Each structure stands twice: as C-alpha cells, then as structure tokens.
C-alpha cells in the first residue's frame, strides 16, 4: 500500500527532529559500545549521555536490543563501504580469487569484533540476520573467478554459510570455548584457493 | 550431579508406562506426519489416534512443537544409522572423498524431506539444532581424504555450515521461493571434489 499524506499526524519539523535524535543516539551508542563493551551499556546511561529522556530512547528503538541492532546496522554499512570502495584486495582492483580470500578474512574479523554487539542485539524478536550483502559480493567474485561454473548461485550460498555460519552458531550458544577466528580465516583461505584453482 | 534413587516419586511401573506412551506417541505422530504432512497434524487428532488423553500428550511433549521435535530426533537417529552402517558410498567402504560427496547429497535430501517437520518443530524455545553428528562425520572423512591438512576441525565446521546453513536459513524465512535441492547437491559435489583433489 502506498503511504498516504495524512492531514493530521506530527508536523514535518518533528519528523526531522526524530531522525536527528535517532542518528545522534546511534552515534552516542557506538561511542559507548566502543568504550564500555555492549553488555555494559545501559539505557539510562545512554539517555543521559545523549541528553535525551529515557522515553525518547525507547520510542526510537523499542527495546535495549533494538539500539544495538541499529548500531550493528551502521557498522555493517561501514563494512560494506570498505568492500565496495576501499583499498584492494578487499576493495576493487585485485583478482577475484584474491578478493574472495580477503573478503573472508575481513568478514570473519568483522564478525568476531562485533560478537558482543551481535549478542546484545539478538534477544529482540527479529528474523535471522540477512546475509544478502555478503551473498551478493561472494556471488559476483565467484562468477569472475570461475566463469565456467554453472551453479555460482548455490555455491555462493554455501560459501557464505561456510563463512558466517560457524560464527552465527557460536553466537547462539552459550556453552562454547573461545572462537578461534585465525583458524577459521586460514581454513577459509584453503577452501577458496582450492575452489578457484585452475 | 549423579542421579539419586529417591525413596518417593512415581512407582517404577508408572515410569515404564510413561516411556511406552512416549514411544507409542512418537510412532503415531510419525505415521500421521507421513500421511497428512506436519502442518495438518493436530494434538486432538494425535491423542485420539493414539488412544490417549490430550493431557497425556501435552504432559509428554510440552507443546505441539515438542512432539515434532521428538519425531525429528527419531528421523535423525535413523539417518545417522544409515551413515554409520548402511551401504557405501554413504556407509563405510568407499574412499573418503566419495563418502563426503554422498553424505552431502543424502544430508540435503534428508533436510529437504523434513522441511515441514523441522518448521513445525521450530517455534518451541530451544537452542539452535545441534550439528554435532554431521560435524563429527565430516571431520572424520576430511581427515581421511586430506591427511596433510592441519585445520581439519575448522574446515569441517565450515563445510557443515555450507551443507546445512542454506536449508536452516531457508527454514527460518517465510518469504522465499522453492528450495532448489538438486542445485545445492551439485554445488556441494563441486566444492568437495575441488577441496579433496590431489
């Protein structure tokens, strides 16, 4: 259904104000997560440092998890920006197989660095995190590295699951030891090298 | 903590009776799922066909999802049995790389065949389905197929995620088109062949 311009509702300035509050809150939350760790950021402290009422914070994000989800979305956007326009081999300019290996390393480091944030954003009732940006990128590089392969689509789906699945699984369990990211990076590189070798 | 034989509690016969009821209910539920599809099996119909009270059904399984979870556990056990003792190349007796390819095909077919059952068992608050039997098996075959690789553990973790992740992800989303299992089987075979090629 198309949105309809209603003759009532909040005036335009208030909506612009709401957007500013939201961006401000996300910025402050990012700072606090970096300083204190996600699990030590309370809604009270966030509202206080942002100079806003606690009611405003809840109105913008619904729950405590909601704010971490918004911060994670921001971090995702910055990551995608590095992939799309940053220096090679993560960014454009290197052979596809090299970019694929670099993407795996960067993605695993990103996921590991944001574990606490991702865990803090989990308990909100939301669908499974979308993997589309990773999927889109891996499929593109795979099509370039293996132009003769017919099943680039499903192979990309499996590679993204191989890359992100172990970390997502780890996230949803509480009883595990430490996540050995370096080993995952190395075995991802083995996987990609053998897959794209000609 | 060791279980302790308590001097009170239900008498032995009642516990044996409970175990029989449980096995009977799972058997009837399996039949009904095969006949009607998981989404058409109601607790009332299950209790009626099993000749038990609805209260007994809920006492044994907690929720509607609980009974489907128990049925899925049974199916999993039968699958593991085929892998461990069935005919080659899924069962023992073929080279490890061939067994790995056959395992992927059989596992994807198993997951696809039990999609409705898995979906019906999802809405109960449980941890992520354990992947340990698959992980154990893939790690063993990988160690045999690639004895020189150092990181068999993490590589196996990634391969199992590649195998089961796309189906799990599909399960948790409602908005997707059909799952193309044949394509997943073919690209799994490509992945395994290149990984184990020497």
């Amino acid at each position: 259904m198309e949105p309809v311009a209603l003759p009532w509702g909040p005036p335009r300035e208030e909506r612009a104000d709401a957007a500013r509050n939201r961006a401000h809150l996300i910025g402050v939350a990012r700072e606090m997560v970096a300083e204190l760790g996600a699990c030590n950021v309370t809604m009270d402290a966030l509202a206080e440092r942002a100079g806003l009422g606690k009611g405003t914070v809840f109105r913008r994000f619904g729950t405590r998890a909601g704010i971490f989800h918004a911060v994670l979305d921001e971090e995702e956007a910055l990551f995608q920006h590095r992939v799309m326009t940053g220096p090679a081999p993560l960014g454009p300019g290197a052979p596809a197989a090299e970019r694929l290996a670099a993407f795996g390393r960067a993605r695993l480091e990103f996921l590991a660095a944001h574990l606490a944030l991702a865990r803090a954003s989990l308990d909100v009732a939301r669908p499974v995190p979308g993997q589309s940006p990773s999927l889109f990128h891996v499929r593109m590089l795979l099509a370039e590295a293996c132009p003769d392969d017919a099943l680039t689509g499903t192979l990309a789906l499996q590679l993204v699951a191989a890359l992100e699945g172990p970390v997502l699984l780890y996230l949803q369990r509480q009883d595990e030891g430490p996540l050995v990211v370096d080993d995952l990076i190395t075995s991802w590189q083995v996987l990609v090298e053998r897959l794209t070798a000609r």
Side-chain angles (χ1 to χ4, degrees), chain A:
Chain A
M1 223 170 73
E2 280 296 301
V4 174
L6 294 174
W8 61 85
R12 272 222 166 276
E13 311 86 85
E14 200 176 314
R15 269 177 278 160
D17 200 48
R20 262 197 307 276
N21 274 352
R22 191 185 151 81
H24 174 56
L25 272 168
I26 292 176
V28 173
R30 281 188 68 202
E31 261 174 42
M32 291 182 75
V33 166
E35 267 173 45
L36 308 170
C39 50
N40 296 316
V41 177
T42 65
M43 294 296 257
D44 282 317
L46 173 61
E48 196 189 318
R49 196 188 289 193
L52 292 165
K54 204 175 161 186
T56 308
V57 177
F58 276 107
R59 232 178 356 265
R60 292 296 160 250
F61 297 101
T63 59
R64 184 170 179 275
I67 178 101
F68 294 119
H69 205 277
V71 172
L72 197 55
D73 277 351
E74 283 271 307
E75 299 287 343
E76 274 285 356
L78 293 171
F79 178 78
Q80 294 305 323
H81 188 73
R82 281 172 57 207
V83 171
M84 291 308 167
T85 65
L90 180 61
E98 262 178 60
R99 286 193 73 193
L100 208 49
F103 178 74
R105 166 186 289 274
R107 188 69 191 158
L108 285 165
E109 284 168 349
F110 173 86
L111 292 173
H114 294 90
L115 266 185
L117 189 58
R119 193 166 268 142
S121 75
L122 261 193
D123 46 24
V124 70
R126 277 169 195 276
V128 183
Q131 301 184 319
S132 335
S134 288
L135 184 58
F136 183 85
H137 189 64
V138 167
R139 190 165 50 205
M140 181 196 77
L141 294 177
L142 207 54
E144 201 182 318
C146 312
D148 302 333
D149 283 359
L151 291 172
T152 310
T154 47
L155 202 49
L157 208 59
Q158 290 171 331
L159 280 187
V160 170
L163 186 59
E164 307 201 336
V167 184
L168 289 179
L169 206 64
Y170 176 85
L171 255 185
Q172 292 178 57
R173 293 189 173 166
Q174 305 294 337
D175 58 335
E176 312 268 327
L179 183 70
V180 188
V181 178
D182 287 347
D183 288 355
L184 287 171
I185 291 172
T186 308
S187 58
W188 167 262
Q189 283 167 335
V190 169
L191 197 64
V192 165
E193 268 167 33
R194 293 195 195 159
L195 189 67
T196 58
R198 276 287 167 275

